[in-house]
Amino acid sequence: MPELLHLRAAVAASSLDREARTVEAIASTGADVQRLGFTERLPVAAADLSNFVGAPVLNTHRHSDVGDVLGAVEGVRREGGKLIVKLRLTRRAESAGVIDDIEDGALRGVSLGYRVDAWRDERAPGGALIRTATKWTPLEASLVPIPADPGATIRSEQMPDPIETPAPASAAPPAPNPSRAEINREIRSIGEVTSLGSEWADGQIDAEATVEAARAAAFEAMQTRSAPTIRVQRASVGVDHDAPETRAVRAGEALYARMNPSHELSESARAFAHMTMPDLARESLRHRGQTVTGLSPSALVTRALHTTSDFPLILGDATNRTLRAAYQAAPSGLRMLARQTTARDFRAKNRIQMGEAPVLEPVSEAGEFTSGTLAEAAESYRLGTFGRIVGVSRPALVNDDLGAFQQVPARMGQAAAAFEAQTMVALLEGNPAMSDGAALFHASHGNLAGTAAALDAATLAARRTAMRKQTGLSGEPIAATPRYLLVPPELEDAAMKLVADITPHTTADVNVNSALNVVVENRLTSATAFYVVAAPAEIDGLEFAYLEGEPGPQIETRAGFEVDGVQIKVRLDFGAGFVDWRGWQKNAGA
């Protein structure tokens, strides 16, 4: 087992400027990093920094969502053989927690995502391969728990150089070179990533080629194909550099594709295609340098769940994809009539309504202008946090039971969508009080039929007319245009007939309701009530919000303690409320 290295560095990051949200960090010291079959060296002097300023600062190399961007690189310089960067974090709420962790010294690791443009290979005295990048380009900087370069940390003002505890004289010898089986597996991975196929890989294996020789042969083979393919593959290989989060995304996509054959697998994920869950557990352990020879599928899954392998991250990525697909597919009629927004925190979200501009008045001969005012009103609602924890058993993972693993997150996604829809339906039917003290649907708001009547052309026309006659805070007419007819399933047939677009022979035959779109919400409890609604993009009405940067349900996975397997926690930060009544009309029906 390799000797554990210790890093001594200042605890507080005195280069942090909380007000400006900037901090300096050592992005690279050029330290050697052990890769599969070779040692990698990235000399700081060989880095091309011409386009690095402005590059993104990511959360542990994740790049699947805009919320993964924590900031940008504001400055970069070489100093004493180190690469120093100045990072500026965003104003988003989640960045405040990152800044707190940096100030407390809990978050210090920095890692680079980069592309190697040119290599120089040489052999160490013991025969080990050393690959030195003679030209490389940093593409992004990430804040990480443990960097590959132990000297890459948040910078303190007077921080000493990193000090490694020297290995004792009796230290174990370096790890042996990879076995033939590992080399063959790596060659097959090269064949899949470069799209050269299994026949090419078999030829390299039959010739007992090394990983380095196979990689060189792969580049030569790609060179005989189109040049654009070479650029794409080089960029893909260069950006990855075995980042755990990147590997987890690719392997998670491959697992998701097995559960959903219609999903078109990306080129970067093909190296993990058709792997079972025990296969993924084995690959995760092997990638972390752990011995997997002779382990049963059950032992592989157990060890991968309870060590620092990438296996939980892979399961989490596949789970998130499944949950998202089910969540987005769940139907909700009322949701399409509401406006989506975000909230920065869990405090009451106040929506200020501005009244109409004052009427323009003639200017006297003396050129005197009179003053006017804008009326204001406010409505508010707040977010709440909702969630549950469910488990997937270890036997399901060992047996590669994709059905069980797929159903749990899918049902949780459907449950999250149903919860949101039911919350908005309950809000609508609860007829909440507005800021003026009157209920949402009230005679004083001019949006409630005085007499409940069945849905027909006359009652529908009355609601359309009432919406057209709505006035703003200052009493001036507003442009509230009826767009939708919201009905329960019991009124669907009657509603469709009322708005059917026909070819009239006379003006008397024109269907004046054909401009309305019927929306059916099966969660409405009243079988007779119907609503006429304006477009949410035109006028405020029903609104729902998620916490900024976390739209929809969010998931976390971990090896279960109470459950022998994987626990999946689903969290939803969600709130909804009516911010205006003028775009909604109701008839209780009969």
Side-chain angles (χ1 to χ4, degrees):
M1 183 173 180
E3 182 68 16
L4 180 65
L5 301 180
H6 301 276
L7 175 67
R8 300 174 185 169
V11 175
S14 55
S15 66
L16 174 66
D17 185 336
R18 290 192 65 97
E19 183 175 353
R21 306 181 316 285
T22 60
V23 65
E24 281 198 351
I26 301 173
S28 175
T29 63
D32 289 356
V33 175
Q34 191 64 42
R35 303 294 186 191
L36 179 62
F38 67 95
T39 299
E40 180 185 78
R41 288 180 179 173
L42 295 176
V44 172
D48 180 3
L49 307 178
S50 57
N51 295 313
F52 194 37
V53 174
V57 177
L58 303 180
N59 180 358
T60 54
H61 298 294
R62 291 201 295 265
H63 56 272
S64 59
D65 189 88
V66 293
D68 297 331
V69 179
L70 299 178
V73 177
E74 188 172 85
V76 59
R77 69 182 187 276
R78 296 180 178 90
E79 182 180 291
K82 303 180 180 67
L83 190 63
I84 311 298
V85 294
K86 185 176 184 181
L87 312 178
R88 178 180 295 276
L89 302 182
T90 68
R91 299 179 182 273
R92 294 200 309 269
E94 55 265 32
S95 295
V98 174
I99 292 175
D100 290 340
D101 289 342
I102 292 175
E103 187 173 35
D104 294 341
L107 180 58
R108 301 187 58 83
V110 178
S111 179
L112 291 177
Y114 53 93
R115 180 186 69 244
V116 175
D117 303 302
W119 293 100
R120 183 182 70 250
D121 293 349
E122 55 187 329
R123 293 285 179 178
L129 176 65
I130 299 175
R131 306 200 75 196
T132 303
T134 57
K135 182 180 179 182
W136 60 280
T137 304
L139 303 175
E140 51 91 357
S142 286
L143 298 179
V144 296
I146 302 177
D149 184 342
T153 61
I154 299 297
R155 196 180 192 211
S156 297
E157 200 168 85
Q158 300 297 331
M159 187 178 72
D161 289 338
I163 300 175
E164 296 181 352
T165 303
S170 59
N177 289 331
S179 66
R180 188 66 234 178
E182 291 176 322
I183 292 174
N184 292 348
R185 191 158 44 244
E186 185 68 18
I187 290 175
R188 293 195 186 280
S189 176
I190 293 172
E192 292 177 355
V193 171
T194 57
S195 300
L196 293 173
S198 58
E199 185 176 350
W200 175 89
D202 291 340
Q204 295 294 317
I205 292 172
D206 292 342
E208 296 187 353
T210 64
V211 173
E212 295 76 35
R215 186 177 288 110
F219 279 111
E220 290 179 6
M222 288 192 297
Q223 202 167 14
T224 63
R225 302 188 305 196
S226 60
T229 304
I230 297 174
R231 288 196 294 269
V232 170
Q233 296 299 329
R234 287 175 63 91
S236 175
V237 173
V239 173
D240 178 17
H241 281 279
D242 295 332
E245 292 75 17
T246 303
R247 287 174 54 83
V249 168
R250 294 174 177 178
E253 182 188 355
L255 179 57
Y256 176 75
R258 288 185 61 220
M259 295 185 287
N260 298 271
S262 61
H263 176 75
E264 185 176 350
L265 201 62
S266 66
E267 190 66 30
S268 58
R270 293 190 183 279
F272 302 94
H274 312 301
M275 283 190 177
T276 65
M277 291 188 192
D279 290 339
L280 291 171
R282 179 185 292 104
E283 178 67 17
S284 299
L285 291 169
R286 186 197 63 76
H287 183 69
R288 290 289 183 171
Q290 299 191 31
T291 301
V292 296
T293 304
L295 293 182
S296 66
S298 176
L300 287 170
V301 169
T302 301
R303 182 174 295 186
L305 285 174
H306 296 281
T307 63
T308 57
S309 77
D310 306 332
F311 191 53
L313 294 177
I314 294 171
L315 298 180
D317 183 86
T319 298
N320 185 54
R321 292 174 187 269
T322 304
L323 181 144
R324 283 284 172 180
Y327 168 76
Q328 294 169 358
S332 171
L334 189 55
R335 180 189 174 99
M336 67 181 294
L337 305 182
R339 176 184 295 172
Q340 179 179 338
T341 183
T342 61
R344 295 181 64 87
D345 49 43
F346 293 93
R347 290 175 292 186
K349 182 176 176 64
N350 297 303
R351 283 295 309 273
I352 304 299
Q353 299 174 358
M354 301 299 296
E356 301 72 41
V359 177
L360 300 182
E361 297 180 350
V363 178
S364 65
E365 292 184 1
E368 180 181 356
F369 287 81
T370 57
S371 299
T373 59
L374 293 177
E376 292 184 2
E379 305 292 343
S380 67
Y381 63 94
R382 68 176 66 238
L383 299 188
T385 299
F386 312 90
R388 293 297 292 269
I389 295 177
V390 294
V392 177
S393 68
R394 185 173 62 90
L397 300 178
V398 174
N399 296 338
D400 195 38
D401 189 348
L402 295 181
F405 186 74
Q406 182 182 25
Q407 290 173 10
V408 172
R411 289 176 180 174
M412 292 301 291
Q414 294 166 355
F419 172 79
E420 293 178 3
Q422 188 57 51
T423 298
M424 289 188 278
V425 167
L427 181 68
L428 173 66
E429 296 189 326
N431 202 18
M434 306 298 285
S435 61
D436 62 354
L440 168 65
F441 298 107
H442 193 272
S444 64
H445 290 162
N447 66 349
L448 178 64
T451 302
L455 174 62
D456 57 25
T459 55
L460 185 55
R463 292 303 91 211
R464 290 172 49 234
T465 301
M467 181 179 291
R468 292 285 191 182
K469 296 177 69 174
Q470 285 282 14
T471 59
L473 298 176
S474 302
E476 297 296 326
I478 61 174
T481 305
R483 295 293 186 193
Y484 300 97
L485 174 57
L486 174 65
V487 297
E490 293 83 354
L491 296 180
E492 182 176 5
D493 286 352
M496 295 298 291
K497 292 176 182 178
L498 277 173
V499 304
D501 191 9
I502 61 175
T503 303
H505 297 288
T506 66
T507 56
D509 295 331
V510 174
N511 185 3
V512 295
N513 295 314
S514 61
L516 295 176
N517 297 308
V518 175
V519 176
V520 180
E521 175 53 72
N522 61 354
R523 297 175 179 84
L524 292 172
T525 59
S526 172
T528 58
F530 63 91
Y531 306 83
V532 176
V533 188
E538 179 181 302
I539 186 171
D540 288 336
L542 178 59
E543 183 176 283
F544 65 96
Y546 302 107
L547 189 64
E548 187 175 285
E550 297 189 353
Q554 309 295 311
I555 70 163
E556 297 178 19
T557 58
R558 70 167 185 173
F561 186 78
E562 298 87 354
V563 176
D564 187 16
V566 176
Q567 288 182 303
I568 303 171
K569 180 173 73 175
V570 180
R571 183 185 68 251
L572 178 67
D573 297 317
F574 173 79
F578 275 92
V579 296
D580 200 347
W581 63 81
R582 296 169 179 84
W584 285 74
Q585 292 283 329
K586 177 182 179 180
N587 189 313

